C-alpha cells in the first residue's frame, strides 16, 4: 500500500502582495523602488513620484523627509 503524500498549499499572490514587493522597505506607505523618487507636486524630476505623507522607517534614501521629523512628502 502506498503512503499518501501531502502537498503544501498552493501559493497565491495577491495584487497587494505584488505591489508591496515593489515598495521600498525604508518607508511605511508604498514608496516605489526606483532610481529616484520625489514627492508628487514638488520640484523633483522623478522618474517616480509619491503622494504623502509617508513615514520613514529606515534610511531616507530618496530624501523625502526634508525636515527630518520622520514623515516625508507632508
Amino acid at each position: 500500500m502506498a503512503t499518501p503524500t501531502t502537498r503544501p498549499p498552493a501559493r497565491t499572490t495577491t495584487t497587494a502582495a505584488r505591489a508591496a514587493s515593489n515598495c521600498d522597505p525604508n518607508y511605511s506607505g508604498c514608496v516605489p523602488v526606483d532610481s529616484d523618487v520625489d514627492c508628487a507636486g514638488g520640484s523633483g524630476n522623478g522618474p517616480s513620484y509619491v503622494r504623502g505623507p509617508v513615514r520613514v522607517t529606515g534610511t531616507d534614501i530618496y530624501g523625502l523627509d526634508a525636515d527630518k521629523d520622520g514623515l516625508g512628502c507632508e
Side-chain angles (χ1 to χ4, degrees):
M1 182 172 184
T3 304
T5 59
T6 59
R7 292 184 181 168
R11 291 186 63 176
T12 58
T13 305
T14 64
T15 302
R18 281 191 299 269
S21 68
N22 293 325
C23 299
D24 193 295
N26 288 293
Y27 301 91
S28 177
C30 188
V31 173
V33 174
D34 206 339
S35 60
D36 186 29
V37 178
D38 296 305
C39 297
S43 61
N45 60 354
S48 291
Y49 298 90
V50 64
R51 291 204 181 279
V54 293
R55 182 166 303 280
V56 179
T57 59
T59 303
D60 185 18
I61 62 173
Y62 299 120
L64 302 177
D65 182 13
D67 61 4
K68 310 289 186 226
D69 68 351
L71 291 176
C73 299
E74 46 188 334

